[in-house]
Amino acid sequence: MTESFGIGVVSCGFITREMHLPSVAYLPDVHVAGIQNRTKANAEEVAETCREEGWGDPSVYGEDQVAALVEDPAVDGLWVTSPNFTRVDVTDAAVDAVEDGADLQGIAMEKPIARNMEEAHHIADRLRDAGIPNAYLENWPYEPDIAKLRDLLWQRGGDAGRPYIARSQAEHGGPHSAWFWDGELQGGGALTDMLCHALAGNHVLLSDPESEDGGLEPVSVSADTETLKWAREDYAEQLREEHGVDYEENPADDYARATVRYEGEDGEPLVSEATGSWCYVGSGVRRSIELLGPEYSGQVMTDDESSSVFFSDDLGEGEGWAEKQAATSGRMPIGAGAVVDGGYVAENRDAVDAFREGENGTLDVEDGLRVLRICMAAYKAAEEGEEVDLREADLSTYVPPPAR
């Protein structure tokens, strides 16, 4: 292992460019060692940014060169942030390279791990069979405010009884990339995009920190999905022109709601409520996270940024700088600390430290499987109009309607 941990990144889309790579600036013993992207010119551009910012001097690899990235002796860990439809191929290439002798200390997988349970189990099985330490990159539980909320309420309120409701809402104006709007390529719509965050975050909030498995069992899911905005004629035409998808003929959901019922260790009922949409018009992402217990409650709100700037319409041109920013005039969040406040520094710190010890991250691929299974159950519940029993449902071959 090199003295500084070298990260090799697969893909250089928004979440990589704006969150994962900048987080390295806060990790003094970590550097970017390699970047692979289907369009090599884009990887070259991102690599130059890494050099300018002092994040590393990464080697660059193009299409079908995941194995070459893994075989690079400067790469200690692989961060897979590529589009959902590539995850199986990327995992196979990486694991094959390791089985052929490449030295890799771990693989970190951006949420969601796959488009459906069949793909997810394939990925998990390959990593498990090869004995490769892994981490699931879900940033919400690592956000400082959310982590502190959980610590405070469980430590100071736990004697009154465990929390019984976790409630999360997240919405923005829609994804950055064309593939994300395509239900088949993405694996779903707003449910798999937004609710995989909210459901994972709720599960962690409801989990007992003193129990190895959190002390809760998922029992059932009810859900609704709808296409509220983007199938309307004007907006569907906008998607056709900008992203080449037809939401009048083949829409994905742009709104989703799911309620997950759990049982605690003593059989007590617990509830996770999650909603999300691609229908919000505002300065960025709007979120609310709540945890309620017998004698306590807590909330994290990010719908009204305390730090902001204002630009008149005369200056409102060019690209935005905050995640999911829908305008460049008016009052806008500054978003300078997003990589810290958004949990990316903490989740990457956790993965690096775990890989150095030969262990899985605090959240690993098994957590990704659990979250994805709940998402699939939610789609099934919405499709069939009835609650899905998580203890009995066979979701191994289920594919959500937008992905068919």
Side-chain angles (χ1 to χ4, degrees):
M1 181 182 72
T2 57
E3 184 175 355
S4 174
F5 191 94
I7 289 177
V9 179
V10 179
S11 186
C12 51
F14 175 87
I15 202 70
T16 305
R17 298 192 315 270
E18 303 298 325
M19 301 300 175
H20 286 300
L21 297 183
S23 76
V24 171
Y26 298 85
L27 303 172
D29 56 347
V30 177
H31 67 281
V32 184
I35 299 173
Q36 185 274 335
N37 194 66
R38 288 180 297 165
T39 305
K40 190 173 182 179
N42 291 348
E44 294 280 9
E45 183 178 336
V46 174
E48 186 56 34
T49 298
C50 289
R51 297 180 191 110
E52 292 172 355
E53 297 292 338
W55 303 334
D57 183 14
S59 300
V60 174
Y61 300 90
E63 189 171 9
D64 298 328
Q65 290 191 300
V66 172
L69 175 66
V70 174
E71 293 163 357
D72 187 330
V75 171
D76 297 310
L78 192 70
W79 262 237
V80 180
T81 64
S82 57
N84 301 357
F85 63 91
T86 70
R87 296 298 178 84
V88 168
D89 290 342
V90 168
T91 302
D92 283 344
V95 173
D96 287 348
V98 171
E99 291 180 339
D100 287 341
D103 184 14
L104 193 68
Q105 295 179 44
I107 295 178
M109 189 81 64
E110 178 65 35
K111 71 86 190 172
I113 65 170
R115 295 179 294 180
N116 53 60
M117 295 308 297
E118 186 173 14
E119 292 183 354
H121 279 299
H122 176 88
I123 289 169
D125 289 346
R126 290 230 58 190
L127 293 175
R128 188 184 306 112
D129 292 346
I132 301 174
N134 59 81
Y136 179 57
L137 297 176
E138 168 50 67
N139 59 296
W140 278 31
Y142 291 98
E143 293 186 24
D145 283 354
I146 296 176
K148 189 65 174 178
L149 168 75
R150 183 194 186 209
D151 289 346
L152 284 172
L153 295 190
W154 273 95
Q155 289 172 9
R156 301 176 72 92
D159 288 345
R162 70 182 302 157
Y164 40 60
I165 299 176
R167 182 183 296 128
S168 296
Q169 177 190 35
E171 51 192 347
H172 55 60
H176 299 282
S177 302
W179 70 265
F180 230 126
W181 291 95
D182 186 313
E184 184 176 357
L185 296 180
Q186 195 250 103
L191 195 159
T192 40
D193 178 31
M194 308 300 290
L195 263 61
C196 74
H197 280 303
L199 292 168
N202 285 352
H203 186 96
V204 171
L205 288 174
L206 288 170
S207 296
D208 185 346
E210 300 300 320
S211 174
E212 186 174 343
D213 64 357
L216 71 169
E217 178 188 8
V219 174
S220 64
V221 180
S222 60
D224 298 299
T225 61
E226 192 54 80
T227 309
L228 299 175
K229 174 180 178 178
W230 293 101
R232 296 186 179 189
E233 184 177 354
D234 289 348
Y235 295 109
E237 180 60 29
Q238 179 182 335
L239 289 183
R240 276 192 294 269
E241 292 178 356
E242 294 182 3
H243 298 301
V245 295
D246 190 340
Y247 265 43
E248 289 187 296
E249 293 294 327
N250 299 298
D253 48 288
D254 61 14
Y255 163 83
R257 175 210 62 83
T259 299
V260 184
R261 298 186 181 279
Y262 291 91
E263 285 185 359
E265 290 177 316
D266 298 324
E268 66 272 40
L270 311 169
V271 174
S272 162
E273 298 178 351
T275 58
S277 86
W278 293 340
C279 302
Y280 176 64
V281 178
S283 60
V285 181
R286 182 172 71 173
R287 296 187 316 160
S288 63
I289 296 97
E290 298 177 90
L291 186 62
L292 284 62
E295 296 294 336
Y296 53 87
S297 66
Q299 54 279 322
V300 174
M301 311 290 288
T302 59
D303 58 335
D304 185 13
E305 294 283 351
S306 59
S307 299
S308 62
V309 293
F310 181 88
F311 295 101
S312 73
D313 287 342
D314 290 341
L315 297 176
E317 297 179 356
E319 295 184 358
W321 53 89
E323 183 178 6
K324 301 301 188 298
Q325 187 174 334
T328 53
S329 63
R331 189 161 298 282
M332 303 295 158
I334 293 174
V339 295
V340 177
D341 299 339
Y344 296 94
V345 171
E347 74 171 352
N348 289 330
R349 173 82 281 161
D350 181 83
V352 168
D353 289 350
F355 294 166
R356 279 179 159 156
E357 296 297 322
E359 300 174 353
N360 289 354
T362 300
L363 296 179
D364 60 20
V365 166
E366 295 300 321
D367 293 291
L369 278 172
R370 172 180 47 75
V371 173
L372 187 64
R373 186 170 187 272
I374 292 175
C375 287
M376 294 298 103
Y379 266 121
K380 187 176 178 66
E383 181 181 13
E384 297 180 352
E386 60 184 22
E387 193 172 70
V388 170
D389 188 331
L390 285 164
R391 295 169 294 188
E392 298 181 358
D394 180 5
L395 300 167
S396 59
T397 60
Y398 180 77
V399 175
R404 294 174 191 163

